[in-house]
Amino acid sequence: MNVNSWLIQNASIVGRETADIAIENGVVTEVGTGLTAPEGARVLDATGLIALPGLVDLHTHLREPGREDAETVESGSRAAALGGYTAVCAMANTSPVADTAGVVEQVWRLGRDAGLVDVQPIGAVTVGLKGEHMAELGAMADSAANVRIFSDDGFCVADPKMMRRALEYVKAFDGVIAQHAEEPALTAGAQMHEGEFSSQLGLAGWPAVAEEAIIARDCLLTGHVGSRLHVCHVSTAGSVEILRWAKSKGWRVTAEVCPHHLLLTDERATTYDPVNKVNPPLRTDTDIEALRAGLAEGVIDVVATDHAPHSSEDKDCEWAAARPGMLGLQTALSIVVKTMVEPGLLDWDGVAERMSRRPARIAGLDGHGLDPAPGVPANLTLIDPAASWTVVPNELASLSRNTPYAQMTFPATVRATFLRGEATVLEGKAQK
Ligand SMILES: NC(=O)N[C@@H](CC(=O)O)C(=O)O
Ligand SMILES: [Zn+2]
């Protein structure tokens, strides 16, 4: 038997026609009806399931090296595969920071060895994420990790001169700067969204303008130097307006929204449960509405998880002391179905576009984000749209437990995930 050869029968291809998918040695050889199994292939009955190109996450925090108690490349990869992903971009805020060729190559190798998803390292923009000296972007680009996305995520590249230089520098290899948009002078000590609930609770606020001011500045800089900007975790209605304007200028700006910003509001802070603490913070119903509309319209290009595992020592404490961030890889698809597909804002093709094709294009990941067709690497996920599931934190694959969705029931389950024809998930279970 060839482990990378399959006949997937009766799948709905990206929510459209029902067909069989033949996979030989990790590559799709045929898509059609009544196909015969390739030699040595296993057969999977996918009746009622939707086949999507494997999901691609532009914003994953794996905590290796440095905080392997919270997540390793392997545990995070497993969570990703179970969430329907075949590739994730690993943020640079590890310890040591991924600001050299050595560290990005280490993360890339750990991903390859785990073999559950393709792990594409993101390199830091500045040394140690400190914002003072530019990191060796060229060396990271030229390394085995082939870095194209650079980000100080967790921190904003606040100095406009540094941001301009970084945008100019990455033009040489068609790189992109992914900005965590937060004007630090406006968020010092911030604990949650600045609004009605922050006043009620007496917690220092993170005003929407702290995000919007940086996005506006960076769009202008990008337009000025003719480079590529990607805006991480957009969370406000005002940000959507600025992005719409920047795109109308023809500037090369892309943006992501996270599932939690499509679903949860700042009212969650009234629980004082730090599982709801995240950067940027949960905002308001008005913001949610604008983010959903922006994602439907394409002003926001992609959904990214911002999967941010934290150990219980960093989360089971009082709100002010807790680290920001929440798990996301295993719940992202279901939340997109709940917030976008069920209300009729996106169809399955729209989901494939925003969770697979566009993120793959932004990250320059060849072989990902491609619909099943002859000659395409078999990076696929099979979704059961009719099933539902309840989030049980202890059953998640992450080494951390900081999900804000405990005991919530969501639509759609991931039945199988294939990485180059190898089943990383079957019947909803990780295969390694
Ligand atoms: N989103 C978060 O609240 N936390 C992220 C950093 C980040 O994405 O800004 C983390 O690394 O924990
Ligand atoms: Zn961030």
Side-chain angles (χ1 to χ4, degrees):
M1 201 157 64
N2 185 328
V3 290
N4 295 339
S5 294
W6 289 87
L7 180 66
I8 299 170
Q9 293 178 313
N10 294 319
S12 162
I13 312 292
V14 198
R16 299 183 305 260
E17 79 282 4
T18 296
D20 302 342
I21 305 168
I23 299 168
E24 254 181 288
N25 299 317
V27 176
V28 175
T29 50
E30 244 187 305
V31 179
T33 47
L35 301 185
T36 47
E39 204 184 311
R42 294 173 69 181
V43 177
L44 190 154
D45 179 7
T47 305
L49 306 185
I50 292 172
L52 295 183
L55 307 183
V56 175
D57 191 22
L58 288 180
H59 192 147
T60 304
H61 295 277
L62 303 171
R63 299 301 191 194
E64 190 173 5
R67 285 303 300 265
E68 292 84 352
D69 57 321
E71 199 79 288
T72 62
V73 170
E74 184 183 333
S75 65
S77 294
R78 190 168 297 115
L82 286 163
Y85 289 87
T86 52
V88 301
C89 299
M91 273 297 174
N93 64 337
T94 49
S95 178
V97 169
D99 57 5
T100 61
V103 179
V104 291
E105 283 186 354
Q106 178 193 3
V107 172
W108 177 75
R109 279 201 196 90
L110 288 165
R112 186 194 54 189
D113 294 349
L116 285 149
V117 291
D118 284 343
V119 174
Q120 174 57 57
I122 292 173
V125 177
T126 67
V127 175
L129 311 175
K130 291 191 189 312
E132 291 161 5
H133 305 286
M134 209 197 291
E136 293 179 6
L137 311 190
M140 289 188 270
D142 287 345
S143 74
N146 201 20
V147 176
R148 287 296 177 273
I149 305 179
F150 297 88
S151 181
D152 275 1
D153 183 60
F155 301 97
C156 183
V157 179
D159 176 358
K161 217 161 72 209
M162 178 66 75
M163 189 62 184
R164 178 191 176 156
R165 280 181 55 216
L167 285 164
E168 277 171 345
Y169 198 97
V170 298
K171 280 171 73 178
F173 40 82
D174 199 31
V176 55
I177 305 293
Q179 176 69 296
H180 167 118
E182 174 181 359
E183 169 49 61
L186 294 174
T187 60
Q191 294 294 332
M192 63 174 295
H193 171 66
E194 181 183 300
E196 185 194 330
F197 290 108
S198 65
S199 314
Q200 240 177 58
L201 297 169
L203 289 173
W206 205 125
V209 65
E211 171 173 312
E212 294 156 6
I214 293 291
I215 296 180
R217 181 201 78 177
D218 287 352
C219 288
L220 289 165
L221 282 173
T222 304
H224 182 61
V225 306
S227 186
R228 289 175 63 202
L229 170 72
H230 177 75
V231 184
C232 295
H233 41 47
V234 169
S235 70
T236 80
S239 298
V240 178
E241 275 186 60
I242 294 164
L243 289 163
R244 187 181 291 112
W245 166 76
K247 288 191 169 202
S248 77
K249 297 277 186 191
W251 298 337
R252 300 169 78 197
V253 175
T254 56
E256 70 191 32
V257 63
C258 302
H260 45 271
H261 291 125
L262 294 171
L263 182 67
L264 306 175
T265 69
D266 58 341
E267 190 172 2
R268 278 283 189 121
T270 61
T271 63
Y272 279 112
D273 184 343
V275 83
N276 299 299
K277 183 174 175 181
V278 64
N279 271 343
L282 301 176
R283 306 262 187 203
T284 68
D285 283 318
T286 311
D287 296 304
I288 287 182
E289 203 183 318
L291 293 167
R292 291 184 185 185
L295 183 63
E297 184 186 336
V299 168
I300 297 175
D301 302 79
V302 306
V303 174
T305 67
D306 192 7
H307 178 81
H310 287 295
S311 69
S312 52
E313 146 200 353
D314 290 326
K315 273 294 192 186
D316 298 345
C317 48
E318 60 168 308
W319 183 281
R323 296 268 186 101
M326 42 182 66
L327 301 183
L329 285 166
Q330 281 185 256
T331 44
L333 178 82
S334 286
I335 293 172
V336 170
V337 173
K338 183 185 171 74
T339 60
M340 300 296 295
V341 179
E342 288 189 342
L345 291 165
L346 281 185
D347 59 12
W348 286 101
D349 193 74
V351 173
E353 194 64 19
R354 285 154 185 80
M355 297 188 79
S356 177
R357 299 185 202 125
R358 285 189 202 174
R361 233 178 288 141
I362 291 167
L365 292 174
D366 298 335
H368 289 277
L370 302 170
D371 290 3
V376 158
N379 297 318
L380 292 174
T381 184
L382 297 177
I383 312 296
D384 185 345
S388 64
W389 65 295
T390 300
V391 180
V392 179
N394 282 331
E395 292 176 1
L396 297 174
S398 173
L399 297 182
S400 294
R401 293 287 164 260
N402 55 310
T403 174
Y405 310 114
Q407 307 318 322
M408 288 175 74
T409 298
F410 290 115
T413 56
V414 174
R415 297 304 302 158
T417 308
F418 296 88
L419 179 65
R420 285 179 286 280
E422 184 181 347
T424 55
V425 173
L426 273 184
E427 290 173 18
K429 304 260 182 308
Q431 298 301 293
K432 58 184 178 186

